[in-house]
Amino acid sequence: MERLWGLFQRAQQLSPRSSQTVYQRVEGPRKGHLEEEEEDGEEGAETLAHFCPMELRGPEPLGSRPRQPNLIPWAAAGRRAAPYLVLTALLIFTGAFLLGYVAFRGSCQACGDSVLVVSEDVNYEPDLDFHQGRLYWSDLQAMFLQFLGEGRLEDTIRQTSLRERVAGSAGMAALTQDIRAALSRQKLDHVWTDTHYVGLQFPDPAHPNTLHWVDEAGKVGEQLPLEDPDVYCPYSAIGNVTGELVYAHYGRPEDLQDLRARGVDPVGRLLLVRVGVISFAQKVTNAQDFGAQGVLIYPEPADFSQDPPKPSLSSQQAVYGHFPPVASSGLPSIPAQPISADIASRLLRKLKGPVAPQEWQGSLLGSPYHLGPGPRLRLVVNNHRTSTPINNIFGCIEGRSEPDHYVVIGAQRDAWGPGAAKSAVGTAILLELVRTFSSMVSNGFRPRRSLLFISWDGGDFGSVGSTEWLEGYLSVLHLKAVVYVSLDNAVLGDDKFHAKTSPLLTSLIESVLKQVDSPNHSGQTLYEQVVFTNPSWDAEVIRPLPMDSSAYSFTAFVGVPAVEFSFMEDDQAYPFLHTKEDTYENLHKVLQGRLPAVAQAVAQLAGQLLIRLSHDRLLPLDFGRYGDVVLRHIGNLNEFSGDLKARGLTLQWVYSARGDYIRAAEKLRQEIYSSEERDERLTRMYNVEFYFLSQYVSPADSPFRHIFMGRGDHTLGALLDHLRLLRSNSSGTPGATSSTGFQESRFRRQLALLTWTLQGAANALSGDVWNIDNNF
């Protein structure tokens, strides 16, 4: 503004006065001053000098000298026009300056609706490279891709899959030493190992698990062979149960409700369910909730790719699966056992009763599947628990400005079998990212926040390794960990890409997808590949975090946003996951030789995500996305507003909290758009995820306290499930209190827990406690 004022004063000096006006050529330092202000000033000054080539004096008193004819008539006109030209130029310059300033301040808005997700160098702090000067986003991106291209991902995947690495084994101990040594050779600030003694459950070789037919008199008959005695469900309840067999599809709550609606009650029976869609733990917990005695889980061939050139799972192979390691995490109290497709086929042939719905049908029989009940079975589970040491390995690059804030990336190291897709791919990518970022540090890169690389042990036992670490730092981790990126299950195909994630990361994932080339569509980015088949990219890509992912506990237990990437095969499940056939050779055949390209794409995606999260001044987390999540779920609640009104109940509380959150999120977004660069309050505003952990339930009783992703009566999902009972309440009487029907007292408690947590999140976003404007 001082420069603008100087120009304005100069214009006044050039304007006509009543006594005398003199126009003369601008020379010397004044001319130099104009050149400093505007590069085109020299041309403008020269034009003015030619326009007024002589000194022109103002009017003199009458009679002082004879009137002379005007020898240059255009000079008078020029004298009158010059001040206006100068002022016009000044106004144009001022307008351009203000327009440029506004455009610069609104540069974040030009990037779209997402909060803080920007492109190129906006919101980016440069690093100092002692060899090349300053490093911006484009420099870091080029440097990352250059060093990443020098890795040997495929060889590491192959070698890792050949090593025995069951948690607690001698082979795992040797691999632990090798990986720690590999990290120590890189340019990391700290490398260490964290050891925990945990109870792991294994089959009992002296007393294997069994399955027998039982006749009508209750006598145990023929034994059904379980082809591989090593296949079991860690942390299944032990004991023996007997009951009639019922087919229950995937074992989801809606499947069991449908079963009951068709006249087949799960109570007191053994359920036969298919692998997939939800975790083993959820299948067994749902069966327990509906009164079942036990669960048998089999791989349905119709759920896997039927492409003849590609390998398929043997019909004699069962699928391994695990539960959470502690009862408070939802550990079921009924036994469960995996069985092969061959055994399932023998069981399905014995079922009678109603024909299963068309979408429940499979390819094991030449005739339709029936729901049952069928003959009685006796299931015996004799797994035993033993105290076992497990080791998590850590490597850290300290941040230069916020060293106590960590961007965490991890991969499971152990495997029950070869585990090529399960953990060898993730381990190889993790090691390659460590090597790549180490090389970047050697060439001038230093992140703003710390990068923490972790190799987890005990992943095939309910992610017990990561769970132990989270429990140890539960009171502070939400203040320190910024985001968790999981590399588990990253390559299960090459056709479809899914990101199982917290909504806070959706906008950032969209931005990074536009920077990564598709591994199987030449000339396209991953984003272009996705929108080619579905313009709504997030509907195609974004999925909720599954309970059996290590990333799940980060979000649902600790309140840290997390993401797990997966390339899939035509939306079909990878057939060998959690089996002894999960070998490097089978993975290579399924991908038809594209394993290196797909693994490289995952490494690029994860690496560029890490750069953005560790180096951006303001974290690119879009907390406004949770407003969309709330609106979507509120739409589901609205379906029951009429039923509740008939009972004198209302959902108005949660509606009010929803409105407060959306308003608070929008207000904070506007503050960020218009914030100054060094606004420390907004810089610290990063862990919105933690606000969605219910503070009104005990972590010991309900560890997964997240109201959208957790488990328990405090969650939105539990409230919806309870409201659905309004439509199935047999009595149809308001205020009915049947243990299997809608309960008004339970509804009021659920609504209060949900509303208080959502309102607390809104208040936290609003900022100062004395500046909260809501009517709750």
Side-chain angles (χ1 to χ4, degrees):
M1 294 305 295
E2 291 179 358
R3 294 181 177 180
L4 291 176
W5 179 246
L7 288 174
F8 182 73
Q9 287 181 319
R10 179 132 185 272
Q12 286 184 319
Q13 293 172 359
L14 293 174
S15 63
R17 300 181 183 178
S18 59
S19 59
Q20 176 177 312
T21 303
V22 177
Y23 286 84
Q24 58 186 8
R25 183 187 300 271
V26 179
E27 300 288 356
R30 294 180 63 85
K31 179 177 178 180
H33 180 70
L34 283 178
E35 289 176 347
E36 178 183 350
E37 294 297 331
E38 189 171 355
E39 293 181 359
D40 294 332
E42 180 179 355
E43 180 180 350
E46 192 68 25
T47 303
L48 182 61
H50 282 90
F51 186 72
C52 304
M54 57 184 297
E55 186 176 14
L56 300 176
R57 298 188 179 277
E60 296 182 359
L62 289 176
S64 62
R65 62 185 301 176
R67 183 178 182 86
Q68 296 180 358
N70 190 353
L71 298 179
I72 44 175
W74 49 266
R79 182 178 60 199
R80 291 192 298 270
Y84 297 103
L85 290 174
V86 172
L87 289 174
T88 301
L90 180 60
L91 288 174
I92 292 174
F93 174 82
T94 304
F97 175 84
L98 292 175
L99 183 62
Y101 178 78
V102 171
F104 175 78
R105 290 297 297 271
S107 58
C108 287
Q109 293 174 331
C111 301
D113 294 331
S114 60
V115 178
L116 301 180
V117 178
V118 297
S119 59
E120 296 304 323
D121 297 331
V122 181
N123 190 34
Y124 224 77
E125 286 192 335
D127 262 328
L128 183 62
D129 183 346
F130 296 106
H131 304 292
Q132 301 177 1
R134 290 187 176 274
L135 291 174
Y136 292 91
W137 162 246
S138 56
D139 303 314
L140 292 174
Q141 185 182 39
M143 181 190 294
F144 171 77
L145 295 176
Q146 172 191 347
F147 290 122
L148 184 68
E150 300 172 359
R152 300 173 59 192
L153 280 170
E154 188 173 18
D155 288 343
T156 308
I157 295 170
R158 181 192 295 109
Q159 295 300 323
T160 304
S161 67
L162 294 175
R163 301 184 65 162
E164 188 235 347
R165 55 191 194 284
V166 176
S169 66
M172 171 55 84
L175 181 61
T176 299
Q177 292 179 357
D178 291 346
I179 289 185
R180 173 162 183 168
L183 266 58
S184 298
R185 288 192 295 268
Q186 303 301 326
K187 195 175 181 61
L188 301 178
D189 296 301
H190 308 282
V191 175
W192 72 98
T193 302
D194 197 3
T195 301
H196 302 271
Y197 283 82
V198 297
L200 301 184
Q201 196 183 64
F202 297 96
D204 186 348
H207 303 90
N209 300 341
T210 60
L211 184 65
H212 290 81
W213 293 112
V214 177
D215 62 21
E216 293 182 359
K219 183 179 179 180
V220 176
E222 176 192 358
Q223 180 175 346
L224 289 161
L226 302 177
E227 292 93 344
D228 189 345
D230 292 335
V231 181
Y232 70 111
C233 289
Y235 304 112
S236 165
I238 61 173
N240 61 83
V241 292
T242 302
E244 295 176 316
L245 185 68
V246 168
Y247 172 53
H249 201 211
Y250 291 111
R252 298 168 296 185
E254 55 265 37
D255 296 331
L256 299 174
Q257 289 167 359
D258 195 0
L259 194 65
R260 182 176 284 169
R262 295 173 185 271
V264 182
D265 196 340
V267 174
R269 289 168 167 156
L270 294 182
L271 301 188
L272 178 65
V273 302
R274 292 151 74 147
V275 169
V277 180
I278 59 176
S279 70
F280 276 41
Q282 290 169 296
K283 295 175 190 292
V284 181
T285 299
N286 294 336
Q288 175 181 303
D289 291 343
F290 277 78
Q293 292 273 59
V295 181
L296 301 172
I297 307 171
Y298 81 98
E300 169 59 54
D303 291 336
F304 303 109
S305 175
Q306 304 299 309
D307 191 355
K310 297 182 179 179
S312 58
L313 183 68
S314 166
S315 61
Q316 289 85 37
Q317 187 67 251
V319 177
Y320 174 97
H322 57 74
F323 302 151
V326 291
S328 64
S329 299
L331 185 63
S333 60
I334 60 175
Q337 175 66 32
I339 62 174
S340 68
D342 277 355
I343 298 300
S345 177
R346 292 180 60 179
L347 298 177
L348 285 166
R349 293 181 191 279
K350 298 287 187 178
L351 293 182
K352 303 189 183 301
V355 174
Q358 181 59 40
E359 60 272 20
W360 290 30
Q361 297 297 325
S363 59
L364 283 176
L365 307 178
S367 57
Y369 291 9
H370 288 254
L371 298 178
R376 300 175 73 195
L377 291 166
R378 179 179 178 84
L379 172 64
V380 179
V381 174
N382 292 318
N383 305 333
H384 70 283
R385 187 182 295 229
T386 180
S387 180
T388 308
I390 60 173
N391 298 281
N392 300 323
I393 308 170
F394 300 81
C396 180
I397 297 175
E398 280 195 9
R400 70 180 190 281
S401 302
E402 302 177 41
D404 60 335
H405 288 159
Y406 314 112
V407 178
V408 187
I409 183 166
Q412 174 182 330
R413 183 174 74 257
D414 66 302
W416 169 78
K422 175 60 181 175
S423 62
V425 169
T427 296
I429 295 174
L430 180 71
L431 293 175
E432 180 62 16
L433 289 173
V434 170
R435 188 197 61 78
T436 300
F437 277 95
S438 176
S439 299
M440 293 174 65
V441 169
S442 298
N443 283 268
F445 170 67
R446 176 62 66 170
R448 178 186 181 91
R449 302 172 190 90
S450 296
L451 286 169
L452 184 59
F453 303 92
I454 309 179
S455 175
W456 301 114
D457 200 352
D460 267 356
F461 292 85
S463 300
V464 64
S466 59
T467 301
E468 288 290 322
W469 186 70
L470 293 175
E471 288 177 343
Y473 294 95
L474 179 61
S475 62
V476 298
L477 201 57
H478 67 279
L479 301 173
K480 302 294 185 180
V482 173
V483 168
Y484 177 67
V485 180
S486 171
L487 298 174
D488 298 338
N489 307 309
V491 180
L492 305 175
D494 70 337
D495 185 67
K496 299 285 186 179
F497 173 77
H498 290 161
K500 292 158 277 189
T501 184
S502 159
L504 293 175
L505 293 167
T506 301
S507 296
L508 177 59
I509 291 170
E510 178 184 11
S511 175
V512 174
L513 285 178
K514 296 176 180 179
Q515 307 290 327
V516 178
D517 291 336
S518 167
N520 59 352
H521 290 75
S522 179
Q524 285 187 334
T525 64
L526 277 175
Y527 181 82
E528 291 168 340
Q529 173 187 333
V530 168
V531 297
F532 181 79
T533 57
N534 188 347
S536 178
W537 82 273
D538 50 349
E540 182 75 12
V541 171
I542 302 301
R543 298 289 185 274
L545 282 166
M547 189 177 181
D548 55 357
S549 165
S550 64
Y552 178 81
S553 292
F554 272 84
T555 299
F557 179 44
V558 181
V560 173
V563 60
E564 179 178 288
F565 304 117
S566 290
F567 277 92
M568 310 291 292
E569 189 70 20
D570 294 321
D571 278 341
Q572 296 287 328
Y574 175 68
F576 308 113
L577 197 65
H578 299 293
T579 74
K580 290 187 175 180
E581 296 181 13
D582 182 16
T583 63
Y584 167 81
E585 289 75 20
N586 277 334
L587 181 60
H588 196 275
K589 289 176 183 177
V590 167
L591 271 73
Q592 298 180 329
R594 291 192 292 270
L595 175 57
V598 180
Q600 185 86 351
V602 175
Q604 289 185 21
L605 188 66
Q608 296 194 47
L609 201 73
L610 293 180
I611 295 174
R612 293 294 309 276
L613 289 167
S614 66
H615 203 61
D616 279 15
R617 180 180 62 86
L618 294 177
L619 276 166
L621 302 180
D622 188 354
F623 44 79
R625 287 279 183 169
Y626 263 116
D628 300 335
V629 172
V630 174
L631 285 174
R632 185 169 64 250
H633 287 300
I634 290 297
N636 296 329
L637 291 175
N638 286 337
E639 178 185 348
F640 303 98
S641 58
D643 302 88
L644 291 171
K645 187 176 181 180
R647 296 167 177 263
L649 302 172
T650 179
L651 293 166
Q652 186 57 46
W653 283 5
V654 75
Y655 294 158
S656 298
R658 172 210 64 186
D660 286 341
Y661 178 84
I662 293 174
R663 284 189 295 272
E666 177 61 23
K667 178 183 176 183
L668 184 57
R669 183 173 71 166
Q670 294 300 327
E671 286 185 19
I672 290 176
Y673 279 153
S674 58
S675 68
E676 295 296 334
E677 182 177 351
R678 298 300 177 185
D679 190 326
E680 293 185 4
R681 184 181 73 86
L682 295 179
T683 302
R684 295 195 308 267
M685 182 69 68
Y686 66 92
N687 197 359
V688 178
E689 199 78 63
F690 180 74
Y691 303 149
F692 294 110
L693 297 188
S694 176
Q695 306 301 310
Y696 308 101
V697 295
S698 166
D701 298 329
S702 300
F704 302 133
R705 295 177 293 149
H706 202 288
I707 60 173
F708 298 120
M709 303 183 197
R711 292 180 58 82
D713 239 24
H714 60 284
T715 64
L716 182 56
L719 177 61
L720 283 168
D721 288 341
H722 190 196
L723 288 175
R724 292 188 183 102
L725 297 177
L726 286 168
R727 306 290 172 84
S728 60
N729 202 353
S730 57
S731 67
T733 305
T737 58
S738 168
S739 60
T740 59
F742 179 81
Q743 302 176 49
E744 182 175 320
S745 60
R746 180 189 173 199
F747 164 77
R748 290 181 180 276
R749 182 176 184 275
Q750 286 180 305
L751 187 64
L753 291 175
L754 176 66
T755 305
W756 292 340
T757 304
L758 185 57
Q759 186 66 50
N763 294 348
L765 287 187
S766 296
D768 302 326
V769 294
W770 57 83
N771 194 31
I772 294 174
D773 181 18
N774 63 64
N775 297 316
F776 177 67

